[in-house]
């Protein structure tokens, strides 16, 4: 083994095989980039940890050709949304919320926003899908292999690693390295990248267990049940959670501990006690799989890269699980980064394109950390409204509940306050705008010269579909051969796409010229009557925000890179200028740094 591993080389080394690292490996392998992915553990996550998989993350799986497998193994949206607030699963209900966009109002907006649905996929199911895809598409996946240190120079990165089974140490030479090694990232520490915020603000206990709770849940299906009980609970409040892993037989019970008292030593008996406390019926058979602890963090990186080393995922944004933004944001970090790495590695773009990963993703990391921690702050008002004592016991809880029922004006005020506080917690789950309104402002976006309009509604709550450069390309159903196709499916796959209308013929020649000049394929799809795709619902015409002779340039990550409202002027020159800006190239350069290199022709499907 020593001789064969004395010198190992690859284009990209990925440190960590969690959602961010495995997504990066799957994407780069799909794009034909040689990669090695290290996982210091012997396998993927063995606990369900992260679970909410939002539309934007499912879109990445769709682009990879993995959406069908993901959804087949997921709990679907219609079984996720009935969130019950109660004293225990078997105890008295205090109220309910329709979460994860299952309320008819939000469901309509959810369905209009994307061809892909939100779903619940535990991390121990999600990770193998990505890791298997990466390995089957050519990535070298090395388990039980730990990064010890690394050095970088102008030409690449040398990583010193150890095989944890044999103890053998060796070096891996790569052109770029991705640090996807989680909240205790060695890569971040060695780089010395700046972090803002605090770790360990609160302590929580996860109990993974099996129990048949069908009789408590099947009639009110949700992926989380919330319980107001005496004790520390989550975030110092007496809130316990039962999180569904598999309907309705596998669960994670969540309870809190006081971080100031130190990390508790827990065994399976403690786990069974916590599970029965949350269920509210200790006659239910429970089989505990594992008991672990985690802390609430409020930390984000103000820089996520240095030279040829780039960090993604929990390494650069560390926050509580509220809103389900963790693994989703991590996957999207890699989606933003990998097409840029492809073009830089192939000499089609300058290193400046990689720098836009910092410009585009640092603000997103900051936003999701602040949103998740703000959401935790929505729980204490529930206790304030109930007027629970600081250290309640079983008797005080009953007194509070009796007072809540009293037919008096004072009790009426308390009921109104409690109901208002409970309803406000919808922002712990429904933040559609945070998920889909990511607005990139960087040199990898070529503006169209128009001012940014005021948002019509709260951009954290509601998705605002627009083709403005820097925004997520809207999902619009078009048809071909009588079959519905999403505009999302016309784009992606590691390539640029130009969407044009009925009078957009000049853009085909413009795309051909740009492809020849830069060596970067720009495929063209026309949409409208008699075009490649029919605008059967008239939605593209009304939502594209461009004229029939205009064009929308969509980046490989489905973000709008540039648009021309109409075809006036010189379409070829306009498209080439936009593409040169995005690729970080001078006006007279192509992807190889020389004028006039030949390239693949325009793709029209």
């Amino acid at each position: 083994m020593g001789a064969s591993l004395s010198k190992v080389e690859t284009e990209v080394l990925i440190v960590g095989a969690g959602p961010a690292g495995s997504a990066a490996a799957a994407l780069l392998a799909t794009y034909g980039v040689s990669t090695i992915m290290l996982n210091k553990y012997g396998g993927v996550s063995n606990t369900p940890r992260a679970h909410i998989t939002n539309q934007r993350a499912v879109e990445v799986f769709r682009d990879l050709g993995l959406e069908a497998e993901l959804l087949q193994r997921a709990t679907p949206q219609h079984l996720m949304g009935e969130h019950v607030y109660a004293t225990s699963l078997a105890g008295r209900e205090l109220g309910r919320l329709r979460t994860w966009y299952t309320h008819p109002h939000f469901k309509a907006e959810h369905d209009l926003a994307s061809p892909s649905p939100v779903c619940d996929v535990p991390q121990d199911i999600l990770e193998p899908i990505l890791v298997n895809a990466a390995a089957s598409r050519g990535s070298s996946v090395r388990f039980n292999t730990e990064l010890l240190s690394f050095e970088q120079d102008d030409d690449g990165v040398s990583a010193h690693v150890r095989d944890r089974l044999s103890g053998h140490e060796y070096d891996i030479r790569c052109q770029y390295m991705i640090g996807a090694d989680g909240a205790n990232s060695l890569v971040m520490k060695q780089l010395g990248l700046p972090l803002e915020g605090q770790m360990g603000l609160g302590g929580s206990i996860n109990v993974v267990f099996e129990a048949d709770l069908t009789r408590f849940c099947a009639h009110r299906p949700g992926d989380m049940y919330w319980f107001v009980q005496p004790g520390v609970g989550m975030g110092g409040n007496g809130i316990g959670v039962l999180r569904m892993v598999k309907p309705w037989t596998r669960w994670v019970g969540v309870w809190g501990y006081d971080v100031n008292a130190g990390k508790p030593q827990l065994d399976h008996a403690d786990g069974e006690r916590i599970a029965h406390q949350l269920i509210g019926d200790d006659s239910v058979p429970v089989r505990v799989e594992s008991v672990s602890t985690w802390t609430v963090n409020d930390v984000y990186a103000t820089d996520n890269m240095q030279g040829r080393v780039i960090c993604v995922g929990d390494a650069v944004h560390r926050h509580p699980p509220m809103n389900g933004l963790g693994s989703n944001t991590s996957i999207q970090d890699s989606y933003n980064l990998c097409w840029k790495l492809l073009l830089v590695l192939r000499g089609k773009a300058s290193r400046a394109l990689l720098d836009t990963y910092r410009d585009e993703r640092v603000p997103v990391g900051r936003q999701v950390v602040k949103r998740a921690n703000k959401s935790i702050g929505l729980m204490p008002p529930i206790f304030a409204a109930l007027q629970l004592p600081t250290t309640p016991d079983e008797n005080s809880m009953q007194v509070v509940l009796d007072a809540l029922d009293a037919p008096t004006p004072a009790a009426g005020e308390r009921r109104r306050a409690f109901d208002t506080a409970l309803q406000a917690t919808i922002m712990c789950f429904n933040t559609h705008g945070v998920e889909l309104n990511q607005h990139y402002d960087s040199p990898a976006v070529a503006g169209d010269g128009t001012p940014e309009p005021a948002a019509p509604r709260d951009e954290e709550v509601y998705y605002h579909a627009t083709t403005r450069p820097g925004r997520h390309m809207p999902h619009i159903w078009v048809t071909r051969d009588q079959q519905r196709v999403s505009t999302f499916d016309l784009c992606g796959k590691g390539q640029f796409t130009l969407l044009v209308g009925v009078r957009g013929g000049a853009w085909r020649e413009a795309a051909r010229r740009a492809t020849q000049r830069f060596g970067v394929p720009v495929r063209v799809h026309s949409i409208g009557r008699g075009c490649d795709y029919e605008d059967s619902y008239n939605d593209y015409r009304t939502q594209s925000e461009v004229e029939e002779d205009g064009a929308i340039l969509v980046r490989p990550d489905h973000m709008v890179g540039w648009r021309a409202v109409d075809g006036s002027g010189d379409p070829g020159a306009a498209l080439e200028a936009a593409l040169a800006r995005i690729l970080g190239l001078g006006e007279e350069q192509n992807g190889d740094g020389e004028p006039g290199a030949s390239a693949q022709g325009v793709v029209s499907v």
Side-chain angles (χ1 to χ4, degrees), residues 116-333:
S116 301
V118 63
C119 59
D120 189 309
V121 188
Q123 191 168 338
D124 53 357
I125 292 176
L126 181 146
E127 282 183 13
I129 295 174
L130 289 169
V131 170
N132 290 341
S136 66
R137 298 176 189 188
S139 180
S140 173
V141 181
R142 301 191 177 193
F143 291 104
N144 293 302
T145 305
E146 180 179 12
L147 175 73
L148 300 178
S149 63
F150 62 89
E151 295 180 352
Q152 60 175 315
D153 52 48
D154 291 342
D155 300 317
V157 183
S158 295
H160 190 60
V161 306
R162 177 172 59 213
D163 184 316
R164 299 180 75 193
L165 297 181
S166 68
H168 178 73
E169 297 183 11
Y170 60 98
D171 291 332
I172 299 176
R173 180 69 175 173
C174 58
Q175 294 185 50
Y176 290 94
M177 187 171 84
I178 298 175
D181 50 342
N184 295 308
S185 171
L186 172 65
V187 177
M188 283 287 291
K189 289 176 184 175
Q190 185 170 329
L191 287 177
L193 290 177
L195 293 165
E196 287 194 5
Q198 286 183 275
M199 298 278 280
L201 296 177
S204 286
I205 302 163
N206 273 10
V207 181
V208 182
F209 67 94
E210 290 184 356
D212 186 352
L213 303 180
T214 304
R215 64 189 174 98
F216 299 110
C217 303
H219 58 290
R220 47 181 185 174
D223 67 345
M224 302 178 80
Y225 298 81
W226 299 80
F227 309 122
V228 180
Q229 297 183 343
V232 176
M234 289 183 61
N237 300 300
I239 282 280
V241 183
L242 272 180
R243 201 198 95 201
M244 179 273 299
V245 178
K246 180 181 179 182
W248 305 104
T249 58
R250 191 170 183 235
W251 302 86
V252 176
V254 185
W255 192 245
Y257 70 90
D258 183 357
V259 290
N260 296 317
K263 184 177 176 180
Q265 299 300 311
L266 302 166
D267 57 22
H268 281 205
D270 294 308
E272 184 174 340
R273 175 183 53 78
I274 292 170
H276 278 140
Q277 173 185 321
L278 298 174
I279 296 168
D281 182 348
D282 59 12
S283 69
V284 175
V286 166
R287 188 184 74 81
V288 174
E289 294 181 18
S290 65
V291 182
S292 60
T293 61
W294 53 276
T295 58
V296 174
N297 301 316
D298 183 1
V299 172
Y300 60 88
T302 56
D303 195 0
N304 55 14
M305 60 188 295
Q306 186 182 105
R308 291 175 173 266
V309 182
I310 306 161
C311 293
V312 297
D314 288 353
V316 289
H317 36 78
R318 308 166 189 180
H319 53 85
M322 289 296 193
N323 302 104
L325 296 169
S327 62
N328 293 289
T329 305
S330 300
I331 290 168
Q332 292 160 50
D333 285 347

Side-chain angles (χ1 to χ4, degrees), residues 15-24 37-39 49 123 126-127 130-131 180:
V15 181
S22 57
M37 179 168 64
L38 307 182
N39 186 355
R49 290 187 292 180
Q123 191 168 338
L126 181 146
E127 282 183 13
L130 289 169
V131 170

Side-chain angles (χ1 to χ4, degrees), residues 218-463:
H219 58 290
R220 47 181 185 174
D223 67 345
M224 302 178 80
Y225 298 81
W226 299 80
F227 309 122
V228 180
Q229 297 183 343
V232 176
M234 289 183 61
N237 300 300
I239 282 280
V241 183
L242 272 180
R243 201 198 95 201
M244 179 273 299
V245 178
K246 180 181 179 182
W248 305 104
T249 58
R250 191 170 183 235
W251 302 86
V252 176
V254 185
W255 192 245
Y257 70 90
D258 183 357
V259 290
N260 296 317
K263 184 177 176 180
Q265 299 300 311
L266 302 166
D267 57 22
H268 281 205
D270 294 308
E272 184 174 340
R273 175 183 53 78
I274 292 170
H276 278 140
Q277 173 185 321
L278 298 174
I279 296 168
D281 182 348
D282 59 12
S283 69
V284 175
V286 166
R287 188 184 74 81
V288 174
E289 294 181 18
S290 65
V291 182
S292 60
T293 61
W294 53 276
T295 58
V296 174
N297 301 316
D298 183 1
V299 172
Y300 60 88
T302 56
D303 195 0
N304 55 14
M305 60 188 295
Q306 186 182 105
R308 291 175 173 266
V309 182
I310 306 161
C311 293
V312 297
D314 288 353
V316 289
H317 36 78
R318 308 166 189 180
H319 53 85
M322 289 296 193
N323 302 104
L325 296 169
S327 62
N328 293 289
T329 305
S330 300
I331 290 168
Q332 292 160 50
D333 285 347
S334 295
Y335 198 44
N336 178 285
L337 172 64
C338 287
W339 69 272
K340 297 173 181 178
L341 273 173
L342 167 69
L343 293 177
V344 171
L345 285 165
R346 297 296 174 259
K348 306 303 181 185
S350 79
R351 291 270 297 274
L353 177 60
L354 281 183
D355 290 335
T356 67
Y357 170 74
R358 172 192 296 115
D359 301 330
E360 295 180 350
R361 296 306 295 179
V362 164
V364 172
R366 180 189 304 114
Q367 181 190 29
V368 299
V369 169
K370 293 305 179 186
R371 177 64 257 173
N373 279 281
K374 186 177 180 181
S375 293
I376 276 189
L378 295 173
M379 290 297 173
I382 291 177
F383 293 85
L386 288 175
Q387 298 179 24
L388 279 165
T390 306
T391 56
D393 55 28
E394 294 292 347
N395 292 329
S396 62
M397 180 66 73
Q398 188 58 53
V399 169
V400 166
L401 294 177
D402 290 343
L404 197 64
D405 291 343
T408 65
E413 288 296 322
R414 186 179 297 189
R415 286 189 289 272
R416 278 189 288 275
F418 177 79
D419 292 340
T420 298
L422 190 152
Q423 292 299 317
T425 65
I426 193 67
M427 283 296 288
C428 297
F429 317 103
N430 285 24
T431 48
H432 207 202
V434 174
E435 297 166 15
L436 294 179
N437 280 335
Q438 295 167 8
H439 183 190
Y440 294 159
D441 182 10
S442 81
V445 174
D448 62 357
T450 59
E452 178 77 23
R457 297 183 293 176
D458 187 330
E459 286 214 79
E460 283 207 322
V461 180
Y462 299 101
Y463 168 52

